[in-house]
Amino acid sequence: MTRRILALFASSFLTVAMSIPAMAEETDGVIESIDPEHAQLRLSDGQVYNLPPDFDYDAIAKGMIVVLIYDADAERPQLRAI
């Protein structure tokens, strides 16, 4: 029974890990500005990230410390998760 539970957790972990694209990168920082009109977020290091169309702007605020997962292959990084 323990082996089955362990196998279930391992397969669940691998499923979640594979759902994040291989090109995704991670960074952290403090939110400097949020621009809902252009769907962009700027961190204190000056880097600007495009936000997805269905993003919930009420979930973040200027001055928050965040960890971002984003696609690095675009001209301007596309945010995947906060």
Side-chain angles (χ1 to χ4, degrees):
M1 184 66 159
T2 304
R3 288 183 181 167
R4 288 184 182 176
I5 292 172
L6 184 58
L8 174 67
F9 283 126
S11 63
S12 297
F13 173 77
L14 290 174
T15 302
V16 170
M18 292 182 69
S19 68
I20 298 175
M23 295 173 284
E25 304 239 354
E26 185 177 308
T27 190
D28 59 15
V30 178
I31 298 175
E32 184 176 288
S33 65
I34 304 163
D35 183 359
E37 186 174 319
H38 294 103
Q40 294 179 338
L41 171 93
R42 179 184 305 273
L43 293 184
S44 58
D45 65 0
Q47 184 65 45
V48 177
Y49 299 88
N50 288 331
L51 299 170
D54 59 346
F55 188 76
D56 179 14
Y57 292 95
D58 294 329
I60 59 172
K62 184 177 175 180
M64 285 180 72
I65 299 172
V66 292
V67 176
L68 306 178
I69 298 174
Y70 63 92
D71 280 344
D73 63 340
E75 181 179 317
R76 177 158 289 152
Q78 178 69 40
L79 187 68
R80 289 281 181 200
I82 270 192

